[in-house]
Amino acid sequence: MKRKLAVAISAAFFAAACASSGAGQQSADAAWYTTESLTPSTVPVGLGPRAADENFPMTQIMADPDWLGRFPEQAYWSWDGRSVLFNRKREGSPQRDLFIRGLTAGGNGEQVALADLHAHAYRTGVFNADRSLRAYVFERNIFVLEQSNGNVRQLTRDTQNKTDLQFLADGRLSYRSGNDFYAMDLSNGYTELVLSLQTQDAPEALAEPKDILAQEEIDLIVYNQVQRRIREERFNDQQALQQANPALAPAPVYLGRGVQVAEVSLSPTADRALVAVTQPQSWRGEGDLMPRYVTESGRVENQDVRRRVADASPVNHTLYLVDLATGEKTELKYDTLPGFDEDVLKSVREENYAAEGKTYVSERKPRAIEVMARWSAQEGNINWKADGSAVAIMLRAWDNKDRWIATVDFAEGKLVNQHRLHDEAWINRDFNAFNWLPNSNSLWYLSEESNYSHLYVKNLDNNRVRQLTSGRYLVDQVTLNAAGDTFYFQANKPHPGIFEIYRVPVSGGDVEQLTDLGGMTSYQLSPNEERLLLTHSSVHQPPEIYVQDAQPNVAAMRLTETVSAEFVAKPWPLPEIVPVPSSHVEDPIYSRVYVPADFDAERAEQYPAVVFIHGAGYLQNAHAGWSNYFREFMFHSKLTEQGYVVLDLDFRGSAGYGRDWRTAVYRQMGWPEVEDLVDVVKWLGEHRNVDVERVGTYGGSYGGFLTFMSLFNEPGLFKAGAALRPVTDWAHYNTGYTSNILNRPQDDMIAYRRSSPIYFAEGLEDALLISAPMVDDNVFFQDSVRLVQRLIELEKENFETAIFPVEPHGFVQPSSWLDQYRRIYKLFEDNLK
């Protein structure tokens, strides 16, 4: 039967409903991207009569958000699974406090006393082999929790930083301090240094004479000869003592002068380590300073800022396998990785050379390759088997086109490729989790190779790969249970804007849905693996904590009620999630649509409208959960109260819809997205009785960039636009984000000129507000200054600027939020009504 997905919205959550209609066949996966709009009978569009203006006063919706409530953050299970712990923002302060709530207790829990914080800080702790002990760091010191009784033992009390805790195969606990690795015997506290890394050349007994004069001085003067002999004897004696006496710490491993340690991983048997080193690169831009004009000193103070992508140089990691018994290090070269020397930018360089009247000659040469950065404590980039017999490492090409998972052949001292993920655009920085299956020679990993992030298992004995999940949905937050036979994960299987929790057997089989809350749901498996700790939100409900048995078709129990009564009492409008058909690609443009409470699709007078453009580029906002753009949600509520229709779209490039949607902006940022903006404005006119001659837009950061691109390249599409903290020239933005999408300016200036609004400023015809924070160390204030100068030189008239002297990229002061959004509101009132 053909299935049509509808999403009904309530004040608590969105519920997915599937209705049968028509003849023909369509799979459940295909129904995910239905292009039919949702009907008013399915989705409520308001809460009754039109509310009075005072429901959403600007002074309140832009005030300190404490009035909404202080919601639980970073929730985790207590050691025994009988309580949950979470952070809450302190009222009137950015500080967070830890709370604990028993599953059978009422209320929102009790704040953990400062004196007891160390006993509850095990959220990211590591387990020993039988999971009887959990080790963790609190305020630089190591603690061990006994899982059987909750007893906590403090192992260190000092001020040295400690990281990379792991239990070794022999039961000892290892940790890192600086570039030294230690192993501690928990039975007696005996601690030994097992690896010391030194970023300098190995010492020599006698340095060679620097020049002919030094050689003559040694040959001529007996005193110099005696001193050299004494130094040589001391050195040789120390070397002999180091080798002969087991009571001494092992000799350092010397990595060479002028390098820095990028990654280190010690084997569980403490006999080997993988070490990646690189040439130091400062994050600061050369000569770049950001002046602060409002300071406590009353004087202008300068702050260093990050380098720009135009100044970035390739970063390469040299990878070593270190034998801890001998101190010998073997370089693991990348030449065994498929594509390690491909000219993956060949077509890009040919196009750019041709534009300059030159001919590009392609050649194969080693690419810069790095150990994949760790984006979370749960996603390791170097993973050992529990017995230390094998290791897998994830590597990424600096040009962003390849990701490899490789194992190490210890006998041959070389990398063995196990999986290559190549992308003509760029490799995603999400969906890179991988690890070993216990007691087997198999790896599991996430990959976007099918367009969506899915779960795979590879048997290294026969190279057979099994895909455990498939379909038009994303798999993330993977947890393998202790037995190693079941994967738990989060996925947006029912609808791109609804994330639920699922499980699937490691051996393969049906994917089983465990939660059915609608909205956005993340999870943590309980210590006994019988329950799920859920953090769930909906459009009208900020994140709250729930608990549910780890079984399908059971109800979740809500534990926290932190939303304020004042927020709940407001008559917030209920947006639809609408799949707006695209005129350029098969998949629709999912959008949230807000209409006035007394909306009349047939009335003679058409409605003015506002289109909100989310920031970050790769971010999902037209989903069924609580949005990080909560101020914008409240501002949209005010706009509907004043008779506007509001649409908030997930344009191409947004997260949540798969690889093809994400990479549609490759080398052409601002063009597919503006095409999507044209489509949603047209849809508003055809389906929501909007006057397309009275539509405005606004957005911050990437949204500010797209505001420029739409006003400059599609004049008349929007009668007014507000660009907040906007990017105007991508060559001035950071490397990590920009080089993914546009390569480097040195390789692809065509893409930068094509994608940077400053090159299209002559197209401005409509009203423009530029809102620029002056101490923004993400998108520099200079971006706005340069564009303003360009507009002045072009003799443009219909623009204005608003500067915010003390604000960073994300505003902090309520007075700044209020001022900014009053200006946006006035812009729309003046130009759309």
Side-chain angles (χ1 to χ4, degrees), residues 504-735:
V504 66
V506 170
S507 58
D510 292 337
V511 172
E512 192 173 29
Q513 182 173 338
L514 300 180
T515 64
D516 190 19
L517 292 172
M520 301 287 281
T521 305
S522 61
Y523 77 103
Q524 190 181 91
L525 201 58
S526 67
N528 63 7
E529 301 185 345
E530 295 179 356
R531 289 180 168 181
L532 300 172
L533 172 61
L534 307 172
T535 300
H536 168 73
S537 73
S538 67
V539 168
H540 281 180
Q541 178 194 291
E544 298 284 11
I545 296 174
Y546 296 71
V547 170
Q548 176 187 316
D549 290 343
Q551 299 295 331
N553 304 316
V554 294
M557 178 178 68
R558 180 169 173 175
L559 295 186
T560 60
E561 299 270 358
T562 60
V563 184
S564 70
E566 188 175 10
F567 176 81
V568 172
K570 293 279 187 186
W572 303 109
L574 295 170
E576 309 168 61
I577 293 183
V578 178
V580 176
S582 168
S583 59
H584 298 276
V585 294
E586 179 182 353
D587 296 328
I589 309 156
Y590 277 89
S591 305
R592 280 186 178 185
V593 180
Y594 303 72
V595 298
D598 57 357
F599 176 74
D600 180 1
E602 305 298 328
R603 80 173 190 177
E605 181 187 357
Q606 292 181 305
Y607 292 88
V610 170
V611 175
F612 171 64
I613 309 174
H614 70 66
Y618 187 63
L619 178 146
Q620 186 177 13
N621 199 48
H623 55 68
W626 180 252
S627 173
N628 287 330
Y629 290 102
F630 60 89
R631 289 184 182 87
E632 286 72 10
F633 163 73
M634 294 188 289
F635 182 57
H636 297 164
S637 300
K638 179 178 182 62
L639 290 174
T640 61
E641 189 177 59
Q642 298 305 309
Y644 291 86
V645 172
V646 181
L647 184 143
D648 167 4
L649 77 161
D650 280 339
F651 46 81
R652 274 176 283 172
S654 298
Y657 306 93
R659 179 265 171 200
D660 292 351
W661 194 263
R662 169 175 66 83
T663 61
V665 299
Y666 177 58
R667 300 190 67 220
Q668 55 176 0
M669 278 199 288
W671 294 93
E673 305 98 303
V674 171
E675 291 175 347
D676 294 343
L677 288 166
V678 171
D679 281 341
V680 298
V681 169
K682 178 183 177 184
W683 182 90
L684 285 170
E686 294 174 350
H687 297 276
R688 290 299 179 270
N689 196 23
V690 163
D691 181 355
V692 295
E693 298 299 320
R694 293 191 294 143
V695 181
T697 190
Y698 81 104
S701 195
Y702 199 94
F705 150 71
L706 286 182
T707 298
F708 285 144
M709 291 296 276
S710 57
L711 265 63
F712 295 171
N713 294 313
E714 284 287 343
L717 177 66
F718 298 115
K719 287 297 179 288
L724 324 176
R725 51 195 181 278
V727 175
T728 67
D729 188 340
W730 286 108
H732 291 257
Y733 197 54
N734 68 33
T735 307

Side-chain angles (χ1 to χ4, degrees), residues 312-316 368-370 396-401 735 739 744:
S313 300
V315 176
N316 185 75
I369 295 175
E370 308 168 274
R396 177 187 171 100
W398 193 81
D399 56 38
N400 308 306
K401 311 299 182 189
T735 307
S739 66
R744 285 194 304 162

Side-chain angles (χ1 to χ4, degrees), residues 78 83-86 98-102 108-112 120:
S78 66
S83 302
V84 297
L85 295 110
F86 50 90
L98 184 65
F99 283 74
I100 185 168
R101 184 200 188 278
N108 291 315
E110 302 294 331
Q111 184 175 339
V112 176
H120 299 282

Side-chain angles (χ1 to χ4, degrees), residues 249-265:
V253 174
Y254 295 96
L255 302 172
R257 190 178 302 277
V259 301
Q260 66 182 27
V261 177
E263 293 287 347
V264 188
S265 183

Side-chain angles (χ1 to χ4, degrees), residues 34-47:
T34 177
T35 56
E36 297 181 36
S37 183
L38 307 180
T39 63
S41 61
T42 302
V43 180
V45 294
L47 290 177

Side-chain angles (χ1 to χ4, degrees), residues 235-392:
F235 179 84
N236 291 336
D237 285 350
Q238 185 63 39
Q239 295 296 106
L241 177 63
Q242 183 78 50
Q243 295 177 10
N245 196 320
L248 298 184
V253 174
Y254 295 96
L255 302 172
R257 190 178 302 277
V259 301
Q260 66 182 27
V261 177
E263 293 287 347
V264 188
S265 183
L266 181 68
S267 76
T269 45
D271 59 345
R272 299 184 177 101
L274 287 183
V275 181
V277 300
T278 188
Q279 296 298 315
Q281 284 202 7
S282 173
W283 67 271
R284 296 175 176 85
E286 187 173 344
D288 278 332
L289 297 171
M290 182 175 68
R292 291 177 173 267
Y293 293 96
V294 180
T295 64
E296 293 183 13
S297 68
R299 293 170 172 80
V300 177
E301 299 176 3
N302 288 321
Q303 174 184 324
D304 291 333
V305 290
R306 52 102 181 132
R307 69 170 62 242
R308 303 158 201 256
V309 63
D311 298 327
S313 300
V315 176
N316 185 75
H317 289 174
T318 301
L319 185 62
Y320 293 108
L321 173 65
V322 178
D323 185 324
L324 270 61
T326 64
E328 179 183 0
K329 61 182 190 291
T330 302
E331 183 178 353
L332 300 173
K333 296 184 180 297
Y334 300 131
D335 57 7
T336 58
L337 302 178
F340 84 100
D341 62 348
E342 280 185 24
D343 185 1
V344 293
L345 288 171
K346 178 177 180 292
S347 61
V348 168
R349 289 169 174 146
E350 286 175 341
E351 181 184 350
N352 278 269
Y353 271 61
E356 298 179 12
K358 303 176 183 177
T359 301
Y360 175 70
V361 179
S362 179
E363 59 178 322
R364 298 184 75 97
K365 58 184 178 181
R367 297 154 70 186
I369 295 175
E370 308 168 274
V371 177
M372 175 73 86
R374 282 185 286 183
W375 297 103
S376 73
Q378 288 72 39
E379 295 188 7
N381 49 13
I382 302 175
N383 293 317
W384 295 83
K385 278 190 176 182
D387 62 2
S389 62
V391 65

Side-chain angles (χ1 to χ4, degrees), residues 133-253:
L133 300 175
R134 193 186 326 189
Y136 58 94
V137 173
F138 172 75
E139 293 295 318
R140 303 184 180 181
N141 284 292
I142 300 174
F143 296 78
V144 170
L145 169 73
E146 295 181 33
Q147 289 292 126
S148 62
N149 54 26
N151 289 340
V152 172
R153 182 154 52 113
Q154 184 169 356
L155 301 183
T156 66
R157 192 180 185 206
D158 56 45
T159 59
Q160 301 300 312
N161 282 326
K162 300 170 189 68
T163 60
D164 296 11
L165 265 63
Q166 68 169 323
F167 280 96
L168 300 178
D170 60 10
R172 291 183 298 166
L173 178 66
S174 74
Y175 63 92
R176 176 181 179 181
S177 182
N179 284 329
D180 293 333
F181 285 76
Y182 297 88
M184 178 188 296
D185 188 328
L186 299 187
S187 65
N188 56 25
Y190 175 73
T191 303
E192 63 174 312
L193 178 70
V194 295
L195 173 63
S196 179
L197 301 172
Q198 299 289 328
T199 53
Q200 61 186 44
D201 296 331
E204 299 176 352
L206 295 175
E208 291 295 323
K210 293 182 178 179
D211 52 31
I212 187 64
L213 292 180
Q215 183 65 59
E216 286 298 306
E217 199 71 0
I218 293 170
D219 294 342
L220 181 65
I221 304 298
V222 173
Y223 173 80
N224 289 338
Q225 297 168 12
V226 170
Q227 294 302 310
R228 284 175 65 82
R229 177 174 56 80
I230 292 172
R231 289 200 303 274
E232 183 176 24
E233 289 175 354
R234 287 174 179 167
F235 179 84
N236 291 336
D237 285 350
Q238 185 63 39
Q239 295 296 106
L241 177 63
Q242 183 78 50
Q243 295 177 10
N245 196 320
L248 298 184
V253 174

